[in-house]
Amino acid sequence: MDANDAKQGRINPELWEAPEMRDALAARNVSEVYRQLRKHGISQRQIAAMTGQSQSEVSEILKGRQVMAYDVLARISEGLGIPRGFMGLAYDEATEIQVVGAADEQQAEEDESVKRRKFLAHAAQVTMGAAVFGPTSNAWAASPARTPAPGRIGMTDVRQVEAATRALRALDYQYGGGFCRDAVVAQLSWGQQMLQASGTELVKSRLYVALADLHSLAGWTSFDIGLIDSARGHFANALDLAKQGENHPLVANILYRMGRVYLHQEAPNDALKLFQLGQIAAQESGSELAVAVLCANEAWAYAMMGNAEQAVKLLNRTRDEFSRADLANAESWVRFFNETDVYAMIGTVHTALAQSADNAHTRYAIPALSKAIDSYGDDMARSKTFNLSMLATNHMIDGDIDHGVKVGGKALDCAEGLKSARVEQRMRPLKDEAVRRSNNADARDFVDRMNAFFA
C-alpha cells in the first residue's frame, strides 16, 4: 500500500509513527529514514521524485551521506509529508523566509555574477548611504508577517542574544558550520522577535548590533556548508542592522566575511571591492584592528590576482595597523584577529603568491604558517586544518615531498570531525601539487588517502 501511495506522490502517514522511524526522524538521520522507506517498498526513484532530489543523491544518502542543511531537511520533510515537528523543523513559512531566506535552489536561476553585483550595490548603499552601483536594499526579500513579539525588552534580553552568539561562534570555530548552523538559525528566529518589542533607545541600538552579529554568524555558517545564497541574504540583513546600530567596525567585519565568500569562489576582483568598502567603514570606526583585518584580506585578493607588489605592500600595512591596535578594548567581532591570525594571513598571502607568481614566496609562507599552527589550540581546529594544508602545499612546491606528505597527513587528521564544506576546497591546491608529483610513491599514496577521506 505504501508503494502505491508513493506512486501517487504520498506516503501513508502511519509510517512516520513507527518507533524506528520516529527515532530516525528525531535524530535527523535521513539515511535511516530512506532505508525504512525502502523496506516498505518505496523505490529510490519515488523518493527522488517526492523530495526533488536526483536518484544519485538519494543513493549517496542511503549509503550514509549526512544531510545537515536546514533548507534540504525542510524540502525532504515537505516532499515526503513528514510532520515538521518530528524532525525539529517546526518553523512556519514566514519564519523560515524571514530568518533563513529563500532556499539556494530557488535563487539559483540568477547568474552568480548578477548576485554579486546586487550584493555590492547593497553593500555600497549601506556603507556610503547611497545606491551607488544599482538597486536598493528592498530588493532582497519579501517581508512576511512576523511572530508576535514580547511586549518590552531590557538589556538582559540583549545580553542573552550576545551570549548565545559567542557560544555558537565557538562551536563553529571548533567543529565547523554544519555542526551549529541549525542552532544559529533557531536562535535568530527567537532573537528577531524582539525587534518589534518596546525598549529604551540604548537597548534597541544594542539589539540591532547583537542581531547583526548573529545574522553575520548565520551567514558564515551557511557559507561554511556551501549555502552561498543563504549566506548572502544573512550578510545583507546583518549590514542593515549594523548600520541601524551605527556600528562601523561590525559593518567592516561583515563586508570582510562576504569578501571571503568570493575569495572561496575564486572571484578576487569581486572580493576586493567588498574589502575596499569594508575599509571605508573600518577607517570611519577609528579601529586600527578592523583596518588591519581589511588590509590583510585585500592583500590576499591581490595575491590571488598575481599582484605581488600590492599584496606585500598591504601586508606591511597590516603589520603597522596591528602594532597600533588597542587589542584589550577591541570589540568582540574583530578581537579574533590576534597575532596568530596575522601570521596566518602572512602565510596565506605568500602561499597564494607562490602558487600564482613566484615559488620564492615559500620562504616567507613556511615560517609564518608554522608560527600560526603552533599557536592554534583544539578550539580552532578548522583554522589549523587550513594552515596545515597550506604549509604542506608550500613544502610540495619547494620539492620537499616527504615533509609535504607528512604535514598533509596532519591536516587530514585535524579535519576529522569537522563539518565544513570548505575543507575540501581549501585542500585542493595541496592535492594538485601532490598529483603533479605522482611519480613519487608517497605523493600517490597521499592522493589516494585524500580521495578516500573526501569520498
Side-chain angles (χ1 to χ4, degrees), residues 88 143 168 174 228 239 260 266 325 340:
S143 298
L168 290 166
Q174 186 167 4
I228 303 301
L239 278 176
R260 288 287 286 266
E266 299 181 359
T340 300

Side-chain angles (χ1 to χ4, degrees), residues 269-452:
N269 277 299
D270 291 321
L272 184 61
K273 292 169 187 173
L274 290 179
F275 294 148
Q276 289 168 339
L277 279 176
Q279 192 66 264
I280 294 170
Q283 291 175 6
E284 285 182 358
S285 75
S287 168
E288 290 89 353
L289 194 56
V291 171
V293 171
L294 271 301
C295 284
N297 283 274
E298 287 177 79
W300 191 358
Y302 277 117
M304 288 180 67
M305 292 187 280
N307 190 332
E309 182 180 357
Q310 276 295 97
V312 171
K313 186 183 297 184
L314 281 158
L315 276 184
N316 290 334
R317 189 180 172 197
T318 300
R319 293 188 187 94
D320 292 342
E321 297 289 349
F322 183 80
S323 67
R324 293 197 300 271
D326 182 5
L327 303 181
N329 295 309
E331 292 177 294
S332 60
W333 37 84
V334 74
R335 198 180 300 143
F336 76 92
F337 196 73
N338 54 26
E339 188 175 28
T340 300
D341 282 273
V342 173
Y343 282 123
M345 287 304 300
I346 292 170
T348 299
V349 170
H350 282 292
T351 300
L353 289 171
Q355 293 173 273
S356 65
D358 184 356
N359 291 5
H361 284 276
T362 59
R363 75 180 70 170
Y364 307 108
I366 289 173
L369 291 169
S370 298
K371 286 183 179 178
I373 290 163
D374 288 344
S375 299
Y376 284 130
D378 292 340
D379 59 332
M380 297 292 288
R382 184 176 55 200
S383 295
K384 188 174 183 178
T385 298
F386 293 164
N387 280 264
L388 281 166
S389 177
M390 287 188 288
L391 181 59
T393 301
N394 280 279
H395 284 301
M396 288 278 191
I397 292 172
D398 264 355
D400 191 352
I401 300 174
D402 291 345
H403 199 55
V405 167
K406 181 179 178 182
V407 176
K410 291 180 180 178
L412 289 176
D413 291 340
C414 194
E416 194 72 48
L418 284 178
K419 299 185 186 302
S420 169
R422 286 192 291 155
V423 172
E424 184 172 8
Q425 190 264 0
R426 290 292 296 271
M427 294 188 75
R428 194 174 301 142
L430 172 58
K431 182 179 177 181
D432 291 343
E433 293 297 333
V435 168
R436 290 190 189 101
R437 292 154 180 82
S438 57
N439 60 327
N440 180 286
D442 290 337
R444 287 197 304 273
D445 290 344
F446 181 66
V447 171
D448 290 341
R449 183 182 171 190
M450 288 191 77
N451 288 335

Side-chain angles (χ1 to χ4, degrees), residues 13-169:
E14 293 180 5
L15 184 56
W16 310 123
E17 299 291 348
E20 62 273 16
M21 183 66 87
R22 286 297 296 269
D23 289 344
L25 292 171
R28 295 184 181 176
N29 185 348
V30 180
S31 296
E32 181 59 27
V33 171
Y34 285 5
R35 282 192 287 269
Q36 291 293 327
L37 291 176
R38 293 289 294 113
K39 288 179 182 178
H40 285 78
I42 300 169
S43 70
Q44 291 186 34
R45 181 179 58 79
Q46 291 163 340
I47 295 172
M50 285 186 282
T51 61
Q53 296 172 299
S54 66
Q55 288 191 53
S56 62
E57 189 175 3
V58 172
S59 177
E60 289 174 8
I61 292 171
L62 279 164
K63 292 175 183 176
R65 198 192 84 183
Q66 289 183 306
V67 178
M68 297 178 289
Y70 175 86
D71 299 340
V72 179
L73 289 167
R75 191 174 73 236
I76 290 170
S77 173
E78 181 178 354
L80 296 176
I82 302 169
R84 294 170 69 90
F86 286 12
M87 296 181 76
L89 301 171
Y91 302 117
D92 59 25
E93 182 181 359
T95 305
E96 180 186 346
I97 295 173
Q98 175 185 332
V99 177
V100 183
D104 278 24
E105 55 269 23
Q106 293 173 332
Q107 300 182 31
E109 296 174 5
E110 239 177 3
D111 186 76
E112 178 63 26
S113 63
V114 175
K115 296 173 187 174
R116 289 180 191 153
R117 285 198 297 273
K118 284 186 176 181
F119 188 90
L120 179 62
H122 179 67
Q125 181 180 2
V126 171
T127 308
M128 297 187 283
V132 178
F133 297 100
T136 57
S137 62
N138 61 11
W140 280 103
S143 298
R146 290 176 172 172
T147 305
R152 185 172 180 82
I153 59 170
M155 200 60 78
T156 299
D157 299 294
V158 180
R159 290 195 190 101
Q160 289 174 354
V161 176
E162 294 169 343
T165 303
R166 285 193 299 271
L168 290 166
R169 180 167 281 124

